Amino acid sequence: MKNLIIVFIIVLSSFSLLGQELQLKKASPFTAVKWENDEPIVKFKGVWYFFEKLDAFNKAQLLDFCKKEFGTKWKKRFSEDLVEVLRNMNYSPNKQVNLELSKDGVTHKYIGTFTLENRQRCVLYNNNSSKSGTSTNIDRKYISRNEAIHDLKQFKEILDTKSSYAQLSSFDYESAINKVATSISQKDKGDISIDKLVYKMSTIIAEIGDRHSSIKNETLDKNSYKTYNLRLPFGITILDKEFIAVKQKSDNNCYIYYDDEFPYIKSINGITIKTLIDTYNFKDKKAPKQAKLSRGANAIQKYGALLFHTDKECPERVEVVFSNGRLEKKEILELTMARKGYISSLSIANYNTIKRVTKGELNGLKKILNKNIGYIKLPMMFHYKNNNDLEQFIEKTIQELSNTKALILDLRNNPGGSRELLQTLAPYMILPNQSPWIANVGYLRTNNSIDTDIRSMSNRYLYIYNSQNFSDNDRKAIDIFNKTCKTEKNFDHSKFSSPFYMVLRAGKISYNQPIYILVNEYSFSAATVFTAAFKGLPNIKIVGVTTDGSSGNSKKIYLNNSNIRVKISTMLSFQRNGKTLDGYGTVPDINISVDKEQIFAGKDTQLEKLVAIINDRK
């Protein structure tokens, strides 16, 4: 009897693992994968087998998907990123999976377990294979004209079938792609530079306005190009909507004008600053205005890289025209490898705060400011799985600050990440009479009908109308919201899913004093989703500068011949005002820009001005 009970427990625990959804993003049921005539041979429990099937997916289905999605990296993705492959196929594997593996012509069934350790062994095996010269991946700098034209066709297909913002944009990307293809086909002789192809495609995707999109040659060796790392011998930043040249003081981290008498920059080598911003730094062309200017200033500082990515030769010296608004001054300057560009004190502080948080040092995120104002710094939208104590710390902190007269949430320079922090703070920020609150609406690019929740959307707390995650009360709030909220731009709904909604609700305890969300043009992705989610609530004010809005459920695809990585958004994400986050950002209720003292002395005058505003209000 005792033995029967033990057997029952073992069987029960096995079924439990089979039904346990895999949480890891990087894991494998195999310890190595090698290839024979493009057939995967997997190492499982110390024995090599031919791979045949995983759960419902046979070998052909998995390999065909990898080839289509990941181009020349399809073998690497199968061997190292099998979880990502399955999830991109809209399948969420459990921790344990059913495997069919064959040896000597006989197929056997096994139960495999996804673990991080297995995946690490696969990576090590691939690395060792690469060092021994057995790797199948070859880094190429050129491809043939026919290969380039085929990659352009694949690029168009990606925009046609997977890109969300290509469907929203009025830009005629098809004609632009055809123009590039025609110029390549008319080329007399020679192969096509992959880096030049990256440039051409980058200018096209920049016009679409997808802030998460990019085109990248991942094999680019920047150090092999003599001028790539050349920089201007001074820094550039924005003051009162003007581009100014600055240099760092030798004794501290403060800055001064590069030239007191001529503080403004008019042109570099005859190219106006406006042209450099609009044409040369094309990747930020569709960003909100302040983000476009600030990110453009940073790009111009890295002059060699800027010219490289626009397929232009970079000289070793440049003629810079400085101005004081009336008179001009020309100066010939040597470019340098030294990092003499402008880095704001806010950026440095944010970077250091992120480092401390990743080490588990959390107390620096909170403080009480002048006259009992609560303050929480959110330098990044952290994933809780990488910061085990953060969720509990945030909840404890918001309760500790419950008796403050106002609360500041500082998301300046926050690059984004997960929406988990938003979900933790929302129950304290939403008041009972505001609940439920529809905070975000997303549409997934698809030609298929979707009537269930999708993992990539539910990871963002976005659910379909009939989702089990919604109550009848939530659906009533959605119905009311839909009567008044209309998208600013029309799009072909047949190419998208039904809407997915993010609904926020009041918790048992609310923070009942005014809340101020402090942002700037470097608040990006999930940070701008956070900001937009609370826009319009009477008890919450957005303060600072318009965010660099972006939200898109991005996906990476590799072109078959060049192995160029194409990253595109697959979701349209709308704010409550009907505008997309991309291209618009979230406009503050109270505008506070950086001033001269913040730029030159590193003093946080934005925060000081906000504290003064709060204390002046009765």
Side-chain angles (χ1 to χ4, degrees), residues 173-184:
Y173 62 83
E174 183 175 358
S175 295
I177 292 172
N178 289 339
K179 185 177 180 180
V180 175
T182 299
S183 67
I184 289 173

Side-chain angles (χ1 to χ4, degrees), residues 422 437-439 502 504 528-535 537 576:
L422 190 163
W437 177 257
I438 315 305
M502 181 169 70
L504 305 179
T528 198
V529 173
F530 184 105
T531 308
F534 299 105
K535 173 80 171 179
L537 286 166
R576 284 179 57 88

Side-chain angles (χ1 to χ4, degrees), residues 3 17 41 76 144 150 188 202 207 222 242 269 359 390 403 437-438 475 486 508 523 581 598 601:
N3 290 336
L17 280 170
I41 305 174
K76 181 179 176 68
S144 70
H150 280 294
D188 290 336
S202 296
E207 292 288 347
K222 300 172 184 178
E242 296 284 351
N269 268 7
K359 293 178 182 178
L390 184 57
N403 292 323
W437 177 257
I438 315 305
R475 279 183 275 273
K486 304 297 179 184
K508 293 180 180 179
S523 303
L581 283 155
Q598 186 159 338

Side-chain angles (χ1 to χ4, degrees), residues 14-151:
S14 298
F15 278 111
S16 176
L17 280 170
L18 274 170
Q20 182 180 347
E21 187 174 335
L22 180 65
Q23 299 300 317
L24 294 171
K25 287 187 176 180
K26 302 289 186 181
S28 176
F30 314 120
T31 54
V33 180
K34 62 182 180 181
W35 300 87
E36 184 177 295
N37 298 325
D38 289 346
E39 294 287 320
I41 305 174
V42 300
K43 197 170 188 179
F44 180 72
K45 294 185 177 180
V47 180
W48 289 101
Y49 298 92
F50 282 94
F51 173 81
E52 302 297 342
K53 193 174 183 181
L54 185 153
D55 283 349
F57 298 97
N58 61 38
K59 175 174 59 182
Q61 289 173 312
L62 283 168
L63 298 188
D64 287 348
F65 182 83
C66 287
K67 290 173 184 177
K68 183 178 179 181
E69 294 296 308
F70 306 115
T72 56
K73 288 196 174 185
W74 67 273
K75 291 181 180 179
K76 181 179 176 68
R77 295 294 178 229
F78 178 88
S79 61
E80 297 182 12
D81 301 310
L82 195 52
V83 177
E84 179 185 350
V85 170
L86 291 167
R87 287 176 178 167
N88 282 342
M89 296 174 78
N90 291 324
Y91 180 70
S92 298
N94 291 326
K95 188 172 183 180
Q96 288 197 332
V97 289
N98 296 300
L99 298 173
E100 291 187 17
L101 310 174
S102 65
K103 187 174 178 65
D104 300 325
V106 180
T107 299
H108 302 275
K109 294 183 179 182
Y110 300 98
I111 300 296
T113 304
F114 274 100
T115 70
L116 176 61
E117 292 74 19
N118 285 348
R119 193 258 181 184
Q120 290 172 333
R121 290 181 182 181
C122 287
V123 172
L124 180 63
Y125 181 85
N126 285 347
N127 290 342
N128 290 336
S129 297
S130 178
K131 290 176 183 177
S132 64
T134 60
S135 173
T136 58
N137 292 323
I138 302 174
D139 295 342
R140 304 170 65 187
K141 291 188 176 180
Y142 295 89
I143 55 176
S144 70
R145 282 180 290 174
N146 284 338
E147 287 177 320
I149 290 171
H150 280 294
D151 275 6

Side-chain angles (χ1 to χ4, degrees), residues 367-394:
K367 56 185 173 182
I368 296 181
L369 304 174
N370 184 28
K371 296 184 180 179
N372 198 31
I373 298 172
Y375 174 90
I376 300 176
K377 175 65 179 173
L378 301 177
M380 183 177 180
M381 303 300 287
F382 295 101
H383 291 267
Y384 288 151
K385 67 179 181 181
N386 300 325
N387 300 273
N388 295 330
D389 300 325
L390 184 57
E391 182 177 14
Q392 184 179 358
F393 173 84
I394 292 294

